[in-house]
């Protein structure tokens, strides 16, 4: 006989999902571990997603005035554009994919306006504005436009332009010429050459009518006058100092390049060093000389004027001597020679004098005069000094590899030949006092560290590790959470659920139920062992556990708790 216990079953009740039944079968600790693992896995996924999509920041504007910076930040907040400041607050950074869009949108709103205002001042003219206000706005607008143009130069960080535009009246003689002054602030490590300064001066002078370039002054932020001052002002003689220094540097570089071009093909590109010092005379001298030479011959002289005066007249001879017959006779004409001894006068000779003749001749010749004016040129080289150092040379036939013969000095003949080459290349002049010094010495080579860094210390590996730190770390953390928390919990969920307690077996087997007998073995077949009653009951229990595991679980639970099944 067998006793059967019936368990009420509601066929209309929906069966609970398998995963919910398995989840309900977990104990409290397994549920906590599963929930913590899922939460950590979600957090790791979110962190990886955020770090992977982190914005690449780019400079939107830099070196902004405080007013423009505040206006741009306020507008970015209104546009819902994320931003941040660079270190030191010198620039505003926005995501790289939005730089151009934000710049165009800010430009449409007139940002950044900048601290310089140009001719846009003329757009806001009010009704009733006086002529003085109009002139003042025009002057401010012109100053702003000139400032913007000067600030576009790469070396100029900021600039200010001041214009002095006098009022013009109807009297032409009383009109004053305009003038201007420019104050520039240069970028760190930059300077303006003479051509750039001249360009700034002519830019300002060409923008204002009737302005002379000499009336424009350019100063730097230290107060140094960069432009050439007008003649007659203090410091006008030192305006070309920078240009003179630049000329000397260019001249020295030219001579040094000539020496290197001559010696490098002989000793090698990195085996020769040359420096040239030039003493240049920039003084300007002017001398005038006047020379007078005597006329060598009458034929070579040039007659400027000639004057001849002749006069002839008859006169009676007056008696002279002791009164008497002899004295009454005129003296005879002297016949003595010019250089001979004079003959005594006779009374007959004195009587023959019949008159007086006078002749004067004045001749003026042109003066032989030479006037010579000599002006000395500026930038004359007074002396050149060249210093050349040549490295030791590798012997002929050596390979230059480790173990090869050491470098040897040059011979005296080679040094003399190189010195002659240097002299010819710079135009050596002994009378001028030029000097050339050529030295042969081994060059000191900086010791290089040949230690090979380990793979994990190389810079490119470190950079790669820094760039991959977040992705790899996120993946490792996710794997740790998955293997340590989620996987054990999932294994517990996938296990067969434990039957619920409180139910009974469908049937309690007390006696052996009637079973159909199997046919016996045929003749000649091996005899099989007959199943015992205990084995049959065990097989029935297994079949019951497979078909109704809940009932078996309730029975086991009742046995453990000590309750007797109904």
């Amino acid at each position: 006989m067998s006793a059967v216990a019936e368990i009420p079953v509601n066929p209309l009740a929906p069966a609970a999902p398998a995963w919910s039944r398995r989840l309900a079968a977990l104990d409290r600790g397994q549920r906590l571990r599963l929930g913590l693992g899922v939460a950590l896995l979600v957090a790791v996924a979110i962190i990886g997603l955020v770090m992977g999509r982190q914005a690449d920041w780019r400079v939107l504007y830099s070196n902004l005035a405080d007013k423009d910076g505040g206006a741009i930040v306020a507008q970015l907040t209104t546009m819902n554009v994320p931003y941040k400041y660079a270190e030191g607050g010198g620039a505003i950074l926005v995501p790289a994919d939005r730089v151009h869009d934000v710049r165009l949108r800010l430009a449409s709103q007139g940002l950044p306006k900048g601290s310089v205002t140009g001719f846009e001042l003329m757009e806001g003219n009010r009704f009733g504005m006086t002529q003085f206000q109009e002139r003042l706005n025009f002057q401010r607008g012109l100053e702003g436009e000139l400032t913007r143009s000067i600030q576009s130069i790469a070396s100029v960080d900021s600039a200010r332009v001041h214009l002095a535009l006098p009022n013009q009246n109807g009297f032409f003689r009383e009109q004053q010429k305009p003038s201007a002054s420019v104050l520039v602030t240069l970028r760190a490590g930059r300077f303006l050459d003479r051509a750039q300064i001249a360009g700034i001066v002519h830019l300002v002078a060409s923008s204002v009518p009737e302005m002379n370039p000499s009336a424009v002054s350019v100063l730097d932020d230290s107060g140094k006058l960069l432009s050439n001052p007008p003649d007659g002002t203090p410091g006008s003689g030192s305006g070309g100092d920078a240009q003179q220094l630049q000329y000397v540097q260019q001249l020295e570089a030219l001579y040094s390049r000539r020496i290197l071009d001559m010696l490098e093909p002989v000793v090698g590109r990195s085996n020769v060093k040359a420096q040239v010092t030039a003493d240049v005379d920039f003084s300007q001298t002017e001398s005038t000389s006047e020379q007078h030479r005597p006329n060598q011959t009458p034929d070579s002289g040039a007659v400027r004027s000639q004057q001849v005066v002749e006069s002839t007249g008859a006169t009676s001879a007056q008696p002279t001597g002791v009164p008497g017959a002899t004295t009454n006779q005129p003296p005879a004409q002297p016949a003595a020679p010019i250089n001979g001894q004079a003959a005594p006068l006779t009374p007959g000779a004195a009587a023959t004098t019949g008159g007086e003749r006078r002749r004067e001749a004045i001749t003026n010749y042109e003066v032989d005069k030479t006037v010579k004016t000599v002006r000395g040129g500026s930038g004359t080289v007074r002396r050149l000094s060249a210093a050349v150092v040549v490295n030791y040379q590798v012997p002929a036939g050596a390979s230059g590899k480790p173990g090869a013969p050491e470098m040897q000095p040059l011979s005296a003949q080679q040094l003399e030949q190189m010195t002659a080459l240097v002299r010819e290349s710079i135009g050596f002049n002994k009378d001028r006092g030029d000097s050339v010094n050529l030295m042969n010495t081994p060059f000191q080579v900086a010791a290089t560290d040949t230690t090979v860094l380990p793979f994990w210390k190389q810079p490119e590996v470190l950079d790669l590790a820094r760039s991959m730190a977040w992705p790899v770390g996120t993946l490792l953390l996710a794997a740790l959470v998955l293997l340590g928390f989620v996987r054990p919990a999932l294994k517990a969920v996938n296990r067969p659920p434990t039957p619920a307690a409180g139910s009974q077996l469908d049937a309690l087997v007390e006696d052996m139920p009637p079973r159909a007998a199997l046919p016996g073995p045929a003749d000649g077949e091996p005899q099989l062992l007959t199943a015992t009653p205990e084995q049959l009951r065990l097989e029935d229990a297994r079949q019951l556990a497979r078909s109704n595991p809940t009932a078996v679980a309730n029975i086991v639970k009742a046995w453990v708790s000590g309750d007797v099944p109904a």
Side-chain angles (χ1 to χ4, degrees):
M1 297 296 293
S2 61
V4 178
E6 296 182 358
I7 300 175
V9 177
N10 186 8
L12 300 179
W19 64 270
S20 61
R21 293 199 306 268
R22 294 177 181 179
L23 185 62
L26 297 178
D27 57 3
R28 184 176 182 182
Q30 292 176 342
R31 292 179 182 178
L32 290 178
R33 285 195 297 270
L34 179 60
L36 181 60
V38 173
L40 290 178
L41 189 61
V42 173
V44 169
I46 293 175
I47 293 175
L49 183 62
V50 172
M51 296 303 300
R53 299 184 60 184
Q54 188 175 8
D56 185 13
W57 299 93
R58 290 290 184 271
V59 177
L60 179 64
Y61 293 110
S62 61
N63 299 326
L64 290 173
D66 295 339
K67 184 177 181 180
D68 288 340
I72 290 176
V73 169
Q75 192 64 31
L76 292 177
T77 305
T78 305
M79 297 163 55
N80 294 325
V81 176
Y83 66 90
K84 68 177 183 179
Y85 301 100
E87 294 184 3
I92 299 177
L93 307 178
V94 296
D97 55 346
R98 305 191 63 178
V99 171
H100 301 290
D101 179 46
V102 172
R103 284 181 180 176
L104 292 176
R105 295 176 64 181
L106 292 177
S108 64
Q109 300 178 6
L111 294 175
K113 296 181 179 179
S115 58
V116 179
T117 306
F119 281 132
E120 56 267 17
L121 282 174
M122 306 298 295
E123 299 176 358
N125 292 336
R126 301 185 305 273
F127 179 76
M129 182 178 295
T130 62
Q131 184 179 4
F132 173 76
Q133 292 175 340
E134 291 180 353
R135 289 181 55 256
L136 183 60
N137 287 342
F138 172 77
Q139 179 175 345
R140 291 178 57 193
L142 183 58
E143 291 176 352
E145 295 296 332
L146 291 175
T147 300
R148 290 175 178 174
S149 300
I150 296 174
Q151 287 181 352
S152 62
I153 301 176
S155 301
V156 178
D157 185 19
S158 61
R160 293 193 65 183
V161 179
H162 302 277
L163 299 178
L165 305 179
N167 295 328
Q168 304 297 337
N169 50 29
F171 299 96
F172 181 78
R173 295 181 178 179
E174 296 180 359
Q175 291 181 359
Q176 299 179 1
K177 298 294 183 180
S179 60
S181 59
V182 181
L183 177 64
V184 295
T185 302
L186 304 180
R187 300 184 185 274
R190 301 291 187 89
F191 64 92
L192 295 175
D193 56 15
R194 306 302 303 177
Q196 291 175 322
I197 296 174
I200 294 176
V201 170
H202 285 277
L203 172 66
V204 178
S206 302
S207 303
V208 181
E210 301 297 331
M211 179 176 287
N212 194 342
S214 60
V216 180
S217 301
V218 181
L219 294 84
D220 60 3
D221 52 355
S222 63
K224 180 181 178 181
L225 182 63
L226 302 179
S227 60
N228 293 327
D231 297 337
T233 59
S236 60
S238 61
D241 291 344
Q243 188 174 3
Q244 293 173 3
L245 180 60
Q246 184 179 4
Y247 173 75
V248 173
Q249 292 175 352
Q250 293 177 354
L251 188 63
E252 293 175 349
L254 175 63
Y255 284 119
S256 300
R257 188 69 259 172
R258 288 181 179 179
I259 296 174
L260 295 178
D261 292 341
M262 188 66 65
L263 296 183
E264 280 181 352
V266 180
V267 298
R269 183 176 183 85
S270 59
N271 293 327
V272 59
K273 302 295 181 182
Q275 289 291 336
V276 177
T277 303
D279 185 6
V280 183
D281 184 12
F282 291 99
S283 60
Q284 296 181 356
T285 59
E286 181 177 352
S287 62
T288 303
S289 62
E290 183 175 349
Q291 298 179 357
H292 297 271
R293 293 184 301 175
N295 297 322
Q296 302 297 330
T297 60
D299 297 339
S300 63
V303 178
R304 182 175 59 182
S305 62
Q306 186 177 12
Q307 181 180 4
V308 179
V309 179
E310 294 183 357
S311 61
T312 303
T315 58
S316 60
Q318 297 296 331
T320 60
V322 181
T326 304
T327 58
N328 292 329
Q329 298 294 329
Q333 184 71 22
I338 296 177
N339 297 327
Q341 186 177 4
L345 295 176
T346 59
T352 61
T353 302
E356 179 181 0
R357 175 178 292 181
R358 182 180 180 186
R359 185 175 184 275
E360 296 181 0
I362 300 175
T363 303
N364 295 325
Y365 295 92
E366 289 289 347
V367 179
D368 189 2
K369 181 177 66 173
T370 302
V371 179
K372 185 178 181 182
T373 302
V374 180
R375 294 181 179 180
S378 177
T380 305
V381 178
R382 291 185 295 192
R383 186 173 182 272
L384 288 178
S385 300
V388 184
V389 181
V390 180
N391 191 14
Y392 280 6
Q393 298 298 303
V394 179
S399 60
K401 297 180 180 178
E406 296 182 356
M407 303 179 68
Q408 298 179 359
L410 299 175
S411 62
Q413 182 180 2
Q414 290 176 331
L415 293 178
E416 184 62 28
Q417 292 176 352
M418 291 184 182
T419 305
L421 289 176
V422 173
R423 289 175 179 174
E424 293 297 330
S425 62
I426 65 174
F428 182 82
N429 189 352
K430 184 177 180 181
D431 298 335
R432 194 171 54 185
D434 296 350
S435 64
V436 174
N437 187 4
L438 191 145
M439 180 181 179
N440 182 217
T441 183
F443 287 2
Q444 296 294 333
V445 180
T448 57
D449 188 7
T450 59
T451 304
V452 179
L453 292 176
F455 176 78
W456 55 275
K457 284 187 177 181
Q458 295 180 2
E460 55 272 10
V461 177
L462 294 178
D463 294 339
L464 180 62
R466 294 189 188 97
S467 61
M468 298 296 294
W470 273 107
V472 174
T474 304
L475 291 177
L476 292 178
L477 184 59
L480 180 62
V481 172
L482 184 62
L483 297 177
F485 293 92
V486 179
R487 184 179 179 184
L490 292 178
K491 286 184 177 180
V493 171
N494 293 331
R495 292 173 185 171
T498 304
S503 61
Q504 302 295 331
L505 289 174
D506 293 340
L508 294 176
V509 180
E510 294 180 353
D511 296 331
M512 190 67 184
R515 298 178 183 275
L518 294 176
D523 296 338
E525 293 182 358
Q527 297 292 331
L528 298 177
L529 296 177
T530 305
T532 61
E534 290 78 7
Q535 292 177 349
L536 294 176
R537 285 196 294 270
L538 182 59
E539 183 64 25
D540 292 339
R542 290 174 180 173
Q543 186 65 26
L544 180 62
R546 293 189 190 100
S547 61
N548 196 351
T550 304
V552 175
N554 292 334
I555 293 173
V556 173
K557 186 175 181 180
W559 289 349
V560 173
S561 60
D563 298 335
V564 178

